[in-house]
Amino acid sequence: MKPAKSFSLDVALAQKRSQTFRSSGTGLSEDLKEMLVEAQEQDRLTCGIYESGKLLEMNPEGIMLCVLPENSASDVTLHIHLTLIEAFCWENDIGIIKVDSVEKLAKLLDVVEEANSAENQAQVWSKKEAGPAPVDYNCILIEYPTGKCSPAEEKMLDFHRITCDLVPQPVISLED
């Protein structure tokens, strides 16, 4: 009986610790946004189910966090892929951060991508009339930086450490 009591105390303690993060919801959203922008600027961001699967197969030790939207899969096949990626991340000790919307995530990263591509006007597309292929934001992997983690990355890693055992896992609400 003691392990059950200890387990309930551990869960209660984890939930109490996560209250700090929940009460500063906008802070988490801003930290996640800052971390994603930094990773994108440093070319440490991988977007898409297929691309993420390839990177996870090649270098799971190099992945710091996996960002997944909550319930984004109205498509059964996509849901299965996301479930497999989430299980692989759990199995390989890769932190998982859940966000409330794939659309908000796409909007956030598209704004950064547009700013970056405006600086690089010399890009040439193989099909000029078609433009670039759409980016899949249903799974985002963030690789470890070569140097020290930024304060935003440290906060997100702390958030993951404190909330990883909570069921259901907390979801960060992104700003519109």
Side-chain angles (χ1 to χ4, degrees):
M1 291 296 162
K2 287 185 181 180
K5 207 178 223 184
S6 174
F7 176 73
S8 64
L9 290 175
D10 290 342
V11 170
L13 181 61
Q15 288 174 337
K16 187 174 182 178
R17 286 181 189 164
S18 71
Q19 289 298 327
T20 306
F21 289 107
R22 286 189 202 146
S23 63
S24 62
T26 34
L28 276 179
S29 177
E30 286 300 314
D31 289 335
L32 179 61
K33 178 181 176 180
E34 184 180 328
M35 181 183 69
L36 289 169
V37 169
E38 286 174 6
Q40 192 171 33
E41 289 172 351
Q42 297 170 6
D43 200 29
R44 299 184 293 120
L45 203 67
T46 301
C47 298
I49 300 289
Y50 180 71
E51 293 80 2
S52 296
K54 287 193 309 187
L55 183 60
L56 286 168
E57 181 181 11
M58 292 171 34
N59 185 19
E61 304 85 23
I63 308 301
M64 181 172 62
L65 288 170
C66 175
V67 180
L68 298 171
E70 181 184 50
N71 298 330
S72 68
S74 58
D75 176 18
V76 175
T77 307
L78 180 60
H79 178 72
I80 291 169
H81 285 296
L82 291 174
T83 302
L84 290 171
I85 285 177
E86 189 171 352
F88 187 90
C89 289
W90 277 105
E91 195 67 27
N92 288 279
D93 294 324
I94 298 169
I96 299 171
I97 302 289
K98 297 251 182 159
V99 296
D100 63 339
S101 167
V102 70
E103 291 82 13
K104 291 178 186 177
L105 196 55
K107 184 178 175 185
L108 166 71
L109 291 171
D110 278 342
V111 167
V112 174
E113 187 61 36
E114 286 173 12
N116 288 343
S117 66
E119 294 173 6
N120 302 326
Q121 292 291 331
Q123 289 182 338
V124 178
W125 305 105
S126 59
K127 296 181 181 177
K128 289 183 182 178
E129 62 278 349
V135 179
D136 174 14
Y137 293 109
N138 284 297
C139 178
I140 297 176
L141 297 180
I142 303 163
E143 296 177 59
Y144 282 103
T146 53
K148 217 173 139 179
C149 287
S150 71
E153 290 170 333
E154 288 292 341
K155 287 178 188 175
M156 294 312 301
L157 287 170
D158 286 344
F159 172 75
H160 166 70
R161 283 185 207 109
I162 290 172
T163 62
C164 67
D165 292 331
L166 295 179
V167 176
Q169 190 173 8
V171 176
I172 297 175
S173 296
L174 298 174
E175 297 174 5
D176 288 328

